[in-house]
Amino acid sequence: MPNNSKVQPPKAPLWARLTKHQIIIPIAALLALALFNLIADPSFFKITLNETSNGNKVLSGNIISIIDSGSELAILALGMTLVTAASGGQDISVGAAIAISGSVMLRVLCGSDSHSATLQAPIIVALLIACLVSMAFGAFNGALVAFFKIQPMVATLILFTAGRSIAAWINNNELPIVNDESFGYFGNYIPGIPIPTPFLIAIVCFIVTWLFMKFTSISLYVQSVGVNEKTSRLNGLNPEFIKLMTYVLLGLCVAIAAFIKVSRISTINYSVIAKDIEMDAILAVALGGNALSGGKFSMSSSVLGAYVIQFLTTTLYKFEVKATALPAYKAVVVILLVVLSAPTVREKLARLGKKLKKSKPAGQAA
Amino acid sequence: MLSLTSSEGKLKAPRSRMTDTNLLTMITIVVFVAMYLYAYFALQQGFTKPQTMLNIISTNAYLIILACGMSLVMITGGIDISVGGVTALVSMSCAVYLDMHGGNVYVAMLLAVGIGLAFGIIQGFLVAYLKIQPFIVTLAGMFFARGLTTIIHTNPFNVENKDFIELKDSRVTLPDFLGSYTRKGRFIPATIELGVVVALIIVAVLFVVLKWTKLGRNFYAVGGNRQSALMLGINTQRTVFVSHVICSLLAGIGGFVYFMHVGSGSPSHATGAEMNAIASAIIGGTMLTGGVGNIIGTLFGVLSLSLIQNIVSSVGLDQAWWTGITIAAMLCIFLVVQSIIIARRKKTNMKLAASKVPKPKEASS
């Protein structure tokens, strides 16, 4: 991203610093959406404390549903940002990979009997196995990208095509149902905690990633590989390994997102689970102001971008847009955002602004 | 098939060697022929009759058209994932227009072309002149087209317009030697759908354009190296714009061909068509990095892709998931082979280039 501090002369240091940072894009979009909702219907922001059927007090409201259902997207956005930054391409197989690791999880939990009354394995074991499988698939994608130098979108097209088929194959096309109540806690609410669990998981993931970035030089390595692979090799980095690692980390994010997705409904539907989520995840990265061609990145912007997308979705639902027609409206908003943040458009706007400023004093002098 | 193309702005091997483009195309054609021979001799069943293959082509005529447009954009270094959405939108709007507004078939054709053009112009403008990533623009295009399809009409329905049914059922009869006899000895002539004719015309036209016109060479030049193309005086922005317009236009035409094949409108039509088109183009030897690709290869890419689906289901792996897994495996093998070949060629090209330089400088990269 070209910094636009040149465009806007700093009036206040904080403002200048903020506009310089790419996080301004998702924040602006979020504020615009919030303002729109505030004008259209202030009750959008109402949060109430309701009691569920089993006597559990939980918060509910549009805002809560946004932070709840945007969690998977936010977790995926973490990994997708790294992949985008390092390899300059996107992984389009995350939806299919979620289906695979969800399927693995249910296979481990239910064993051979798809409707068993008790869990066949502890949840943590299922989660770990799903993480390993998902990371293995991530490594497959990463190896194609890093060692065979195949463009990321094409390399992940393989898993995109095969993923849902593999997921169905793992469970022999049956739909196992988990009957254990505690499995549902991770996708809904833990008794006694009024905040939806997926949001808590997302926060934990974000903090872990942040600490990881803070105390290691991974973030610098990833950026330098994304900016210039040859130079980073000359500086003693191993670009192939770093690319591979970003895909493996995305695999980990996929497994956690799959865990939430499966836990929400305690079962799985191979063709529908996490459908089109890859598109949303890429949009979240783009909305976060990260260059899709790699290089510099900001995790928090992507995460915020993910919640902006969820905010948009919920807003559209509020206005009774049909679920199937949703993409059309989303597309219009996305195009508007992308056009406004395009470097050429910004330059032109800036030039227009300068012209206006110049012409004003000239007019006064005359 | 030998080296006709030498103006790609790339380091070239001597003329006797094949270009990357032609080599990748040859591999695809060889694989297709091998698969067909396998099906013909080992599986037999229906594969011995030419009509089986012709039916496969008829079903996939629309995919050939979409994949041609996709190859063009990919050669120029972009991508267009809105083609599947445009196909669904075209078939739905034509269906609604013909059935609920008593429309004319020819106007419906114009409508299809118009929708394609509109998508092409908007997407092309955003990609070429505002320099937004083609992936994002066409992703939004796909979302928009899919959403608009359900806004126009939600439920799938069959078209009962008389003129259209006539058009849909019309077949082109091929020469006698391709026909077959029933068990009672009655002769059945081999037929193909009109869409196949359209697809083949488009393949021929694009082949000529890419090979022998200035515009066609510009596509390769811009895809190969945009900076050098600009320095050669090529209007790169306009070239990218034109590639997107042609791709979406072909998506519109492909949408109508698809509509002629299925004869109905539905929001779930052509699901995943964009990915199939990309996969066919890649199997046909087009590279997403741009500058390498061939329309004939794309044609065989589509044919290989559809043939292997039929082979898989007829060897008994008829569980739904096998199709997806086979296509992916095929794609994987092709990609790895391509990547290895290109890497080896780069090495030999560099050696060749180094041997021509009198004082070899140290290879820094």
Side-chain angles (χ1 to χ4, degrees), chain B residues 72-212:
Chain B
L72 206 62
V73 173
M74 278 164 67
I75 287 171
T76 323
I79 193 160
D80 187 343
I81 50 175
S82 70
V83 289
V86 173
T87 303
L89 179 61
V90 163
S91 57
M92 180 57 99
S93 12
C94 286
V96 168
Y97 172 71
L98 285 174
D99 226 35
M100 297 177 184
H101 301 280
N104 181 307
V105 175
Y106 297 100
V107 181
M109 284 180 194
L110 278 183
L111 183 69
V113 172
I115 292 174
L117 263 185
F119 267 84
I121 288 171
I122 296 173
Q123 290 179 351
F125 176 75
L126 292 174
V127 171
Y129 293 101
L130 297 187
K131 299 216 170 57
I132 307 172
Q133 311 237 359
F135 186 83
I136 292 295
V137 171
T138 53
L139 179 67
M142 178 185 91
F143 276 155
F144 187 71
R146 288 265 172 216
L148 206 57
T149 310
T150 59
I151 292 174
I152 291 174
H153 199 84
T154 331
N155 301 320
F157 66 98
N158 283 327
V159 177
E160 270 136 30
N161 186 304
K162 225 200 247 163
D163 293 342
F164 176 72
I165 298 282
E166 207 174 293
L167 184 71
K168 179 179 178 286
D169 290 339
S170 56
R171 294 280 186 278
V172 179
T173 312
L174 293 182
D176 280 353
F177 68 91
L178 287 168
S180 55
Y181 290 91
T182 58
R183 241 175 259 156
K184 285 179 186 168
R186 200 162 58 84
F187 179 72
I188 308 169
T191 55
I192 47 171
E193 285 178 24
L194 282 179
V196 179
V197 181
V198 178
L200 291 181
I201 291 173
I202 286 172
V203 168
V205 169
L206 280 184
F207 180 74
V208 171
V209 166
L210 278 178
K211 201 125 210 172
W212 288 297

Side-chain angles (χ1 to χ4, degrees), chain A residues 332-346:
Chain A
V332 174
V333 176
V334 167
I335 281 291
L336 277 180
L337 282 171
V338 181
V339 166
L340 283 179
S341 61
T344 39
V345 177
R346 274 200 203 172

Side-chain angles (χ1 to χ4, degrees), chain A residues 110-326:
Chain A
C110 295
S112 48
D113 178 17
S114 65
H115 292 272
S116 62
T118 53
L119 290 181
Q120 303 292 317
I123 294 170
I124 186 77
V125 173
L127 179 61
L128 282 179
I129 291 175
C131 281
L132 284 180
V133 170
S134 183
M135 281 158 88
F137 277 106
F140 170 73
N141 281 338
L144 286 179
V145 172
F147 299 112
F148 290 99
K149 308 259 181 281
I150 300 170
Q151 306 91 319
M153 268 200 50
V154 183
T156 51
L157 183 67
I158 297 171
L159 196 54
F160 175 90
T161 331
R164 290 177 195 276
S165 303
I166 295 175
W169 185 36
I170 289 171
N171 270 314
N172 216 0
N173 219 8
E174 283 167 19
L175 303 174
I177 296 167
V178 180
N179 291 315
D180 193 86
E181 204 175 280
S182 62
F183 184 63
Y185 291 164
F186 301 96
N188 303 296
Y189 295 90
I190 296 173
I193 301 176
I195 303 166
T197 326
F199 183 60
L200 298 177
I201 297 178
I203 287 182
V204 169
C205 287
F206 182 68
I207 291 174
V208 168
T209 321
W210 186 76
L211 289 175
F212 187 57
M213 293 287 142
K214 185 95 180 160
F215 291 107
T216 62
S217 358
I218 295 289
S219 145
L220 186 68
Y221 291 170
V222 166
Q223 275 187 24
S224 59
V225 169
V227 171
N228 192 332
E229 202 182 320
K230 278 180 190 160
T231 325
S232 53
R233 189 194 304 279
L234 292 178
N235 278 307
L237 293 180
N238 183 349
E240 278 90 23
F241 175 72
I242 288 171
K243 277 188 191 170
L244 183 70
M245 188 201 64
T246 58
Y247 279 87
V248 173
L249 285 179
L250 178 60
L252 189 60
C253 295
V254 162
I256 297 169
F259 180 51
I260 297 175
K261 274 271 186 231
V262 175
S263 166
R264 274 185 204 278
I265 51 172
S266 289
T267 180
I268 193 168
N269 185 339
Y270 307 112
S271 55
V272 177
I273 185 174
K275 197 161 182 281
D276 288 341
I277 204 169
E278 53 275 350
M279 306 302 177
D280 275 353
I282 297 168
L283 279 181
V285 175
L287 261 182
N290 299 296
L292 289 184
S293 45
K296 288 193 96 173
F297 68 94
S298 156
M299 284 279 185
S300 35
S301 301
S302 298
V303 172
L304 208 56
Y307 282 110
V308 168
I309 288 172
Q310 194 58 45
F311 203 124
L312 179 65
T313 313
T314 312
T315 309
L316 287 172
Y317 278 136
K318 189 88 199 333
F319 286 94
E320 288 175 358
V321 171
K322 265 181 284 172
T324 47
L326 199 69

